[in-house]
Amino acid sequence: MSESTDPASPADRIAAGYAFTGPALDLGALLWDGRCLPDRQIRVPLSMLNRHGLVAGATGTGKTKTLQLIAEQLSANGVPVFLADIKGDVSGISAPGADSEKVRERAADVAQDWQATACPAEFYSLGGIGTGIPVRATVTAFGPVLLSKVLQLNQTQEQSLGLIFHYADSKGLELIDLKDLRAVVAFLVSDKGKAELKGIGGLSTVTAGVILRALTAFEQQGASEFFGEPEFDTSEFLRTAADGRGLVSVLELPAVQDKPQLFSTFLMWLLADLYADLPEVGDLDRPKLVFFFDEAHLLFNGASKAFLDSITQTVRLIRSKGIGVFFVTQTPKDVPADVLAQLGNRVQHALRAFTPDDAKALKATVRTFPNSPYDLEELLTGLGTGEAVITVLSENGAPTPVAATRLRAPQSLMGPVDAAALDRTVKASLLYSRYAEPIDRESAYEKISAEQAAAEAAAEAAAAAAEAEKQAKAAEKTARSAPKPDPSLAQQVVGSGMFRSLARSIGTQVGREISRSLFGTARRRK
């Protein structure tokens, strides 16, 4: 491949595909025939960033810096951004970048006017684990499909969990935190609750046991921190700063990076919640929010068909709400075909082909690109750090030519900010006081516990009353059957015939003396 001055040369034809008339983000300069061509700029139309995208590549090839580069320019154009910071190295987007010889060299290569610039940013954490404004969801809002995914339930167990949610909704039992769900499950397999679901399939003791054990394991991962109130309002992610720049919301996940299924499913809830709340807006000149889903392969590993259907539908339809989604992963094959088909903007960093599986993944990746004058198998294994193969959607929605690109350098700090500075930023936010402290109001657990306590108290009172009645009857029976006591000496004397005879002669002196001696009365003095 060699460059030509002919306007119809491959390099010129590729560059012509990126000559947009409207606002666009600058990604870098074209690579052709081993050279970087700074006058051939590779860009992506701002209006097409709600058509979703994929940033892929092997570890260490520059995916995180690409996220940072795109996020900075979106913010500068007034578009809010959401970033999942898995490893803790994206927080630097809130601080100006560090000038260096390497940065200046990259800027010169790609004709970039590099200036150290910080973005307005807010930092969040899942349920307050780690540094950030706590993001919580209620169990009801999370829903049975997403919860089944994170609990790793099979299809039958997922359907049973759906019945449990349906029952709780119909009975006004609010499922706010995990203890609420545990209480409802335990009630539905109790003697009193077994009949509640009979008409709609019932809940087996075995399935309930599986769900309860999965909930226990989930809680041991710290999940009880994520569910509760105050529930986070995802519209907070749509804000702009006072200067009109889009706010960059960074979800700090290093504290839970050993629980990938948990945070990936939680991110899906955020996206689904945005989809449910936002109105239809159609095609806009710029997105309302661009959502970057890092480590996306973790979302799809072991996913049920219902979960995959939910993701596919959300990705397909959320575009009309003005939301763009970028999945970030290692190879396109990590993303299901139905989802991949929705991703019109592609930034593919280098791939490795060290093993037969790697070679197979490389060939599969090449097949996902349009035809191009590049030998993509050779190119993808030879790209350097900060270089990528790009194709995006043009302003009329057609794919642009495949372009090997040397990417621009981010203008914010390429690395984490100091922990103390991060903590100060979090606590200075107006949202911190709104969401920092958890609230535990009356919900399913308290209602079921109160009913059980009342039932137990009534049972105890009834048992006590029955026992008292039993003892009273026994006492009455004992009293009736007891032998009469022997009369006392006085009773015997009074009842005798002699006493009656003496009484008749009470007026006599002898009678009076006898009477006095018997009753102990004092003699009168003469």
Side-chain angles (χ1 to χ4, degrees):
M1 297 180 292
S2 61
E3 185 186 0
S4 169
T5 57
D6 181 349
S9 70
D12 284 336
R13 286 198 296 271
I14 293 171
Y18 293 87
F20 310 123
T21 58
L25 309 188
D26 296 311
L27 300 179
L30 181 67
L31 288 170
W32 182 259
D33 198 18
R35 296 170 54 201
C36 183
L37 308 177
D39 58 333
R40 274 95 163 171
Q41 289 291 305
I42 304 303
R43 312 163 75 215
V44 55
L46 188 59
S47 61
M48 289 293 110
L49 284 170
N50 68 336
R51 302 298 180 96
H52 312 320
L54 175 72
V55 178
T59 301
T61 56
K63 297 190 298 294
T64 301
K65 303 302 179 288
T66 299
L67 298 189
Q68 206 165 332
L69 172 66
I70 297 174
E72 288 174 353
Q73 294 187 67
L74 284 167
S75 175
N77 280 276
V79 178
V81 176
F82 177 92
L83 294 174
D85 187 7
I86 306 296
K87 299 182 287 294
D89 53 3
V90 182
S91 59
I93 200 166
S94 63
D99 194 2
S100 68
E101 184 178 345
K102 188 175 181 180
V103 168
R104 289 194 295 271
E105 182 181 337
R106 173 60 65 105
D109 282 349
V110 298
Q112 178 184 9
D113 179 18
W114 189 91
Q115 296 179 8
T117 308
C119 293
E122 294 266 27
F123 295 92
Y124 300 90
S125 64
L126 288 186
I129 295 182
T131 303
I133 299 162
V135 177
R136 299 182 184 91
T138 64
V139 171
T140 294
F142 206 74
V145 173
L146 287 177
L147 193 58
S148 296
K149 156 71 169 153
V150 81
L151 295 179
Q152 301 182 39
L153 303 182
N154 63 29
Q155 185 176 6
T156 300
Q157 294 155 359
E158 182 178 331
Q159 291 170 348
S160 295
L161 188 61
L163 287 178
I164 294 166
F165 272 71
H166 171 75
Y167 171 78
D169 286 343
S170 65
K171 296 297 182 179
L173 297 172
E174 297 90 344
L175 300 178
I176 293 175
D177 50 28
L178 291 180
K179 72 177 184 295
D180 290 326
L181 180 58
R182 182 186 293 280
V184 173
V185 175
F187 171 73
L188 289 174
V189 291
S190 68
D191 292 339
K192 184 179 179 182
K194 280 181 181 177
E196 295 286 341
L197 293 182
K198 273 190 177 179
I200 52 174
L203 176 66
S204 75
T205 304
V206 173
T207 298
V210 171
I211 293 172
L212 289 173
R213 286 192 296 273
L215 284 173
T216 299
F218 195 32
E219 288 171 321
Q220 288 173 348
Q221 294 182 13
S224 55
E225 299 286 340
F226 308 131
F227 293 95
E229 292 181 319
E231 186 171 39
F232 189 79
D233 182 354
T234 53
S235 67
E236 305 284 9
F237 297 142
L238 303 175
R239 293 176 298 143
T240 55
D243 60 4
R245 288 184 295 167
L247 202 61
V248 179
S249 299
V250 183
L251 184 64
E252 289 292 304
L253 295 169
V256 292
Q257 62 180 305
D258 59 337
K259 305 171 182 66
Q261 198 165 44
L262 173 62
F263 69 68
S264 65
T265 309
F266 208 89
L267 291 178
M268 191 60 206
W269 166 76
L270 293 178
L271 194 60
D273 193 70
L274 283 166
Y275 168 72
D277 289 348
L278 292 175
E280 295 279 340
V281 293
D283 291 325
L284 302 173
D285 59 352
R286 66 190 64 208
K288 296 176 72 172
L289 173 73
V290 176
F291 191 103
F292 288 90
F293 213 130
D294 203 1
E295 301 291 347
H297 62 283
L298 300 173
L299 180 68
F300 303 108
N301 287 348
S304 68
K305 184 179 184 301
F307 183 73
L308 291 176
D309 289 346
S310 174
I311 295 173
T312 304
Q313 182 182 33
T314 301
V315 172
R316 180 183 296 119
L317 299 178
I318 203 169
R319 179 187 69 79
S320 63
K321 306 292 185 86
I323 305 295
V325 182
F326 274 71
F327 291 96
V328 185
T329 189
Q330 294 194 1
T331 71
K333 72 180 183 62
D334 293 334
V335 181
D338 287 345
V339 176
L340 191 63
Q342 309 298 318
L343 312 181
N345 302 303
R346 302 275 301 278
V347 180
Q348 177 66 60
H349 288 267
L351 291 174
R352 309 299 180 219
F354 299 137
T355 69
D357 285 344
D358 291 341
K360 185 177 179 180
L362 175 61
K363 290 182 181 296
T365 299
V366 169
R367 288 197 296 270
T368 64
F369 281 92
N371 291 331
S372 80
Y374 294 100
D375 181 344
L376 288 179
E377 282 194 42
E378 179 182 348
L379 178 61
L380 286 173
T381 55
L383 290 171
T385 301
E387 297 177 347
V389 172
I390 292 175
T391 180
V392 299
L393 294 179
S394 65
E395 290 168 312
N396 61 11
T400 59
V402 175
T405 307
R406 181 162 295 163
L407 297 166
R408 293 183 167 220
Q411 298 186 133
S412 56
L413 183 64
M414 291 186 278
V417 296
D418 176 76
L422 180 60
D423 188 60
R424 286 194 300 271
T425 301
V426 170
K427 291 181 178 175
S429 170
L430 296 176
L431 300 183
Y432 186 76
S433 60
R434 188 180 307 171
Y435 294 107
E437 291 300 321
I439 299 170
D440 188 11
R441 65 182 175 91
E442 184 184 59
S443 49
Y445 172 80
E446 287 79 12
K447 290 179 180 179
I448 291 174
S449 296
E451 288 182 5
Q452 290 175 338
E456 289 173 4
E460 288 176 4
E467 181 64 23
E469 184 179 359
K470 180 179 177 182
Q471 290 180 359
K473 287 181 178 178
E476 184 181 350
K477 182 177 180 182
T478 300
R480 286 198 304 267
S481 61
K484 294 181 179 179
D486 294 333
S488 67
L489 177 61
Q491 289 172 326
Q492 292 179 35
V493 171
V494 170
S496 68
M498 181 182 294
F499 180 82
R500 289 193 294 271
S501 177
L502 288 172
R504 284 192 296 269
S505 59
I506 194 70
T508 69
Q509 178 65 33
V510 174
R512 285 194 296 271
E513 292 297 329
I514 293 173
S515 179
R516 291 190 189 105
S517 66
L518 286 175
F519 291 100
T521 57
R523 290 184 180 186
R524 292 181 183 176
R525 291 181 182 180
K526 293 182 180 178

